[in-house]
């Protein structure tokens, strides 16, 4: 019996749409009321999470939708997962919530074990973890670790700050606040805070009107599909992009202390790269003394059929830092070099230093994935899903193009001819009973949870076959 069948015996067997629009009357009213206390402009519909189960999300109008978007890729094991509910009701979780500790100063007696439980699931080669509060926070914390390390190496780890450094940093000036940079890639998304906003390059709306660091960008490979028919062109694209990275590392106006990259540029259009590109990137960071940060916020925790997507590329030596969030229900970064621990206490610090309830959930989620061998059937489902979408693409070549993600479980995407047509498609898919999302200007990205099965794929494909002829 499959995981979904065992854990969600009451999961619907099919979607059910009972209103002429989504949101329906109750949903529209709920969104309007919500607008009195919250910015409601991004709300697609208002969910009833009490009734949502497994791979299905229910809205307040009673519409039951197959969820292939899963809270923007952040629900790993289905709605109302009984194992996670059990963990949520544990005494350990109650203590973590009610007594929310300032972990840096007053860690609980059980916190060490929480961290060890989490570290069991670290990417290969990573031995330490620092906890954060969100994906953007995780990336900003990683930047701080990189900058502290860069300057400490330059100064000498055992040397104290100079008086000039201490005075100048209080005025936001060098040498205490040096001009050093993080390199990111065009179309990247790493968060909406200040430093993370500076390395985000996917859409203007994510960073407009915010002061930003003048940090460099390089180009992420833009492959031709299908991959097997365009190997030579795509190899040339890797070489072109790596040459740009090397130029930035050599010639940027200030030292580049770190390079951050997603295994798949999700928000920026579901752009993929090869093992050769990622190894080439690693080689360049080693050559020029920059740290390599892999942003696994969206691709991590099993989403692509392996626990950490960058591991499929066998990057050698392993990345210096790997950030995580979303499906982990927690956040932070993995690392392995003890010198990335700041040379003085209270440098990498805040009141909470993470969130113990998130750490508990993250470890429980990872245990469920491993103990139930969820990724092997997910890979099989993904292969099946890809083959079905490939047939759809052949049937509707003017509507569906650049199908990508082959071999990466259900972490799939395709493009449509225009943003308006994509919006029409997403809206009609909801009315056909499927919740799915977009990325970049014309991309459709599939982000179901780890319990998605072939029967769910069949429902998704049936909805597409109903919707596409109407576009």
């Amino acid at each position: 019996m499959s995981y979904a069948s065992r854990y969600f015996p009451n999961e619907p067997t099919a979607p059910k749409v009972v209103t002429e629009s989504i949101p329906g009357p109750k949903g529209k009213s709920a969104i309007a009321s919500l607008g009195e206390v919250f910015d409601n402009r991004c709300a697609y519909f208002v969910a009833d999470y009490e009734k949502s189960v497994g791979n299905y999300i229910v809205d307040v109008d009673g519409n039951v939708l197959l969820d292939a978007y899963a809270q923007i890729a952040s629900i790993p094991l289905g709605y109302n997962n009984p194992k996670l509910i059990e963990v949520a009701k544990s005494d350990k979780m109650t203590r973590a919530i009610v007594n929310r500790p300032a972990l840096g100063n007053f860690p609980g007696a059980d916190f060490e074990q929480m961290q060890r439980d989490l570290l069991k699931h670290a990417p290969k080669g990573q031995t330490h973890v620092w906890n954060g509060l969100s994906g953007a926070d995780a990336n900003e914390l990683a930047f701080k670790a990189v900058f502290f390390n860069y300057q400490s190496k330059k100064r000498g780890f055992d040397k104290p700050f100079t008086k000039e450094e201490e005075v100048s940093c209080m005025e936001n000036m060098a040498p205490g606040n040096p001009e050093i940079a993080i390199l990111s890639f065009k179309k990247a998304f790493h968060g909406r805070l200040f430093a993370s906003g500076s390395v985000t390059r996917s859409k203007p709306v994510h960073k407009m009107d915010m002061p930003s660091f003048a940090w460099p960008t390089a180009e992420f490979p833009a492959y031709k599909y299908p991959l097997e028919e365009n190997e030579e062109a795509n190899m040339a694209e890797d070489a072109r992009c790596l040459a740009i990275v090397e130029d930035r590392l050599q010639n940027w106006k200030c030292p580049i202390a770190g390079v951050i990259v997603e295994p798949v540029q999700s928000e920026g259009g579901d752009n993929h790269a090869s093992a050769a590109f990622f190894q080439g990137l690693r080689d360049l960071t080693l050559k020029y003394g920059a740290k390599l940060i892999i942003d696994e916020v969206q691709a991590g925790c099993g989403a692509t059929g392996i626990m950490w997507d960058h591991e499929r590329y066998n990057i050698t030596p392993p990345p210096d830092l790997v950030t995580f969030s979303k499906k982990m229900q927690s956040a932070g970064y993995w690392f392995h070099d003890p010198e990335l621990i700041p040379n003085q206490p209270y440098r990498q610090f805040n009141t909470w230093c993470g969130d113990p309830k998130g750490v508990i959930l993250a470890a429980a989620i990872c245990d469920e994935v491993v103990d139930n061998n969820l990724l092997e059937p997910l890979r099989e489902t993904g292969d099946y899903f890809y083959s079905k979408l490939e047939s759809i693409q052949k049937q509707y070549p003017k509507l569906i193009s650049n199908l990508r993600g082959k071999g990466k479980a259900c972490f799939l995407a395709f493009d449509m001819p225009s943003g308006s047509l994509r919006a029409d498609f997403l809206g009609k898919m909801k009315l056909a009973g499927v919740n799915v999302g977009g990325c970049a200007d014309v991309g459709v990205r599939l982000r179901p949870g780890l319990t998605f099965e072939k029967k769910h794929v069949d429902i998704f494909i049936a909805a597409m076959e109903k919707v596409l002829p109407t576009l």
Side-chain angles (χ1 to χ4, degrees):
M1 185 182 294
S2 72
Y3 184 90
S5 298
R6 285 188 289 120
Y7 276 59
F8 307 113
N10 297 321
E11 183 183 85
T13 56
K16 182 176 72 172
V17 176
V18 297
T19 58
E20 294 182 356
S21 65
I22 295 178
K26 291 182 180 178
K28 291 176 181 177
S29 176
I31 290 173
S33 182
L34 179 65
E36 299 173 9
V37 294
F38 184 75
D39 185 350
N40 64 358
R41 291 172 293 174
C42 300
Y44 295 130
F45 54 83
V46 176
D48 185 337
Y49 291 112
E50 183 178 0
K51 294 178 181 176
S52 301
V53 59
N55 293 280
Y56 285 83
I57 187 168
V58 178
D59 75 0
V60 293
D61 287 288
N63 294 304
V64 180
L65 307 181
L66 177 68
D67 197 354
Y69 200 37
Q71 305 296 316
I72 320 178
S74 66
I75 288 288
L77 302 176
Y79 293 104
N80 287 301
N81 183 287
K83 180 63 177 181
L84 298 188
I85 290 173
E86 179 184 324
V87 172
K89 291 180 177 179
S90 67
D91 291 342
K92 180 168 62 174
M93 182 66 81
T94 299
R95 286 193 300 273
I97 294 171
V98 173
N99 304 306
R100 182 70 188 268
L103 290 167
N105 290 136
F106 307 102
D110 52 3
F111 184 58
E112 177 189 347
Q113 188 58 51
M114 291 182 200
Q115 291 288 76
R116 292 188 183 279
D117 290 343
L118 187 60
L119 277 164
K120 288 189 305 182
H121 304 287
K124 293 174 184 176
Q126 310 301 334
T127 57
H128 295 65
V129 63
W130 183 257
N131 308 106
L133 299 174
S134 69
D137 183 47
N139 286 330
E140 299 219 358
L141 290 167
F143 299 163
K144 286 177 64 179
V146 166
F147 290 144
F148 292 160
N149 176 265
Y150 185 89
Q151 288 299 106
S152 293
K153 280 186 175 180
K154 183 177 176 182
R155 181 189 302 114
F157 277 96
D158 298 328
K159 290 184 178 180
F161 306 136
T162 66
K163 186 66 176 178
E164 183 184 13
E165 287 174 326
E166 290 180 339
V167 171
S168 61
C169 83
M170 301 308 290
E171 300 295 332
N172 296 338
M173 296 178 65
N177 293 136
E179 188 175 8
I180 47 180
I182 300 289
L183 182 146
S184 63
F185 291 85
K186 293 180 180 180
K187 299 184 180 180
F189 182 86
H190 300 291
R192 293 178 171 89
L193 299 178
F194 283 92
S196 57
S198 292
V199 295
T200 285
R201 314 280 183 169
S202 49
K203 291 179 183 176
V205 71
H206 294 147
K207 56 192 292 177
M208 182 67 70
D209 295 334
M210 286 170 40
S212 293
F213 294 105
W215 289 348
T217 58
E219 293 190 29
F220 195 84
Y223 288 158
K224 294 181 179 179
Y225 291 89
L227 294 176
E228 55 270 20
E229 296 177 13
N230 294 280
E231 290 184 8
E232 188 173 339
N234 292 337
M235 286 174 62
E237 177 69 353
D238 282 345
R240 184 186 73 86
C241 292
L242 289 170
I244 294 171
V245 172
E246 183 158 28
D247 176 71
R248 299 293 186 271
L249 290 167
Q250 279 183 317
N251 300 314
W252 192 248
K253 63 181 180 178
C254 68
I256 295 174
V259 175
I260 186 167
V261 65
E262 300 156 274
V264 179
Q265 286 189 322
S266 299
E267 180 69 22
D270 255 48
N271 308 308
H272 296 249
S274 68
F277 173 79
F278 285 108
Q279 186 59 53
L281 192 59
R282 185 52 171 146
D283 294 342
L284 288 172
T285 58
L286 293 170
K287 180 178 178 180
Y288 292 98
K291 299 297 185 187
L292 178 60
I293 307 166
I294 301 290
D295 179 344
E296 284 268 16
V297 167
Q298 187 157 152
C301 195
T304 69
I306 62 175
M307 203 63 173
W308 303 103
D309 188 53
H310 75 275
E311 290 185 343
R312 73 176 67 245
Y313 302 119
N314 193 31
I315 300 170
T316 307
D320 298 290
L321 306 95
V322 179
T323 60
F324 64 89
S325 189
K326 285 195 179 284
K327 280 184 175 63
M328 292 290 283
Q329 300 293 299
S330 183
Y333 62 86
W334 314 102
F335 65 106
H336 59 269
D337 184 355
E339 288 189 351
L340 281 167
I341 300 171
N343 61 342
Q344 292 185 25
Y346 286 104
R347 301 197 72 195
Q348 191 73 291
F349 189 85
N350 55 59
T351 297
W352 284 324
C353 295
D355 184 348
K357 70 177 183 293
V359 175
I360 294 168
L361 267 180
I365 288 164
C366 293
D367 284 345
E368 279 292 286
V369 172
V370 173
D371 294 347
N372 292 279
N373 190 30
L374 292 185
L375 300 185
E376 183 177 345
L378 183 69
R379 291 191 291 269
E380 293 176 3
T381 297
D383 291 343
Y384 179 74
F385 206 169
Y386 188 92
S387 68
K388 292 289 186 179
L389 289 169
E390 204 168 29
S391 297
I392 291 277
Q393 182 174 241
K394 290 176 181 177
Q395 187 178 357
Y396 295 95
K398 293 183 179 180
L399 294 177
I400 304 296
S401 63
N402 295 328
L403 174 63
R404 51 204 181 273
K406 186 175 184 179
K408 292 197 172 186
C410 299
F411 206 87
L412 306 174
F414 54 82
D415 291 336
M416 304 198 77
S418 68
S420 59
L421 196 68
R422 193 263 308 270
D424 192 20
F425 172 76
L426 296 179
K428 288 184 175 181
M429 283 294 282
K430 288 184 179 66
L431 290 174
V434 175
N435 184 43
V436 64
C439 59
D441 296 323
V442 297
V444 175
R445 61 175 154 173
L446 314 184
R447 294 294 183 269
L450 307 182
T451 64
F452 213 66
E453 299 178 358
K454 292 178 182 178
K455 64 183 180 183
H456 302 118
V457 171
D458 290 339
I459 291 168
F460 188 101
I461 295 298
M464 282 190 74
E465 289 174 335
K466 178 180 178 181
V467 167
L468 288 174
T470 71
L471 297 179

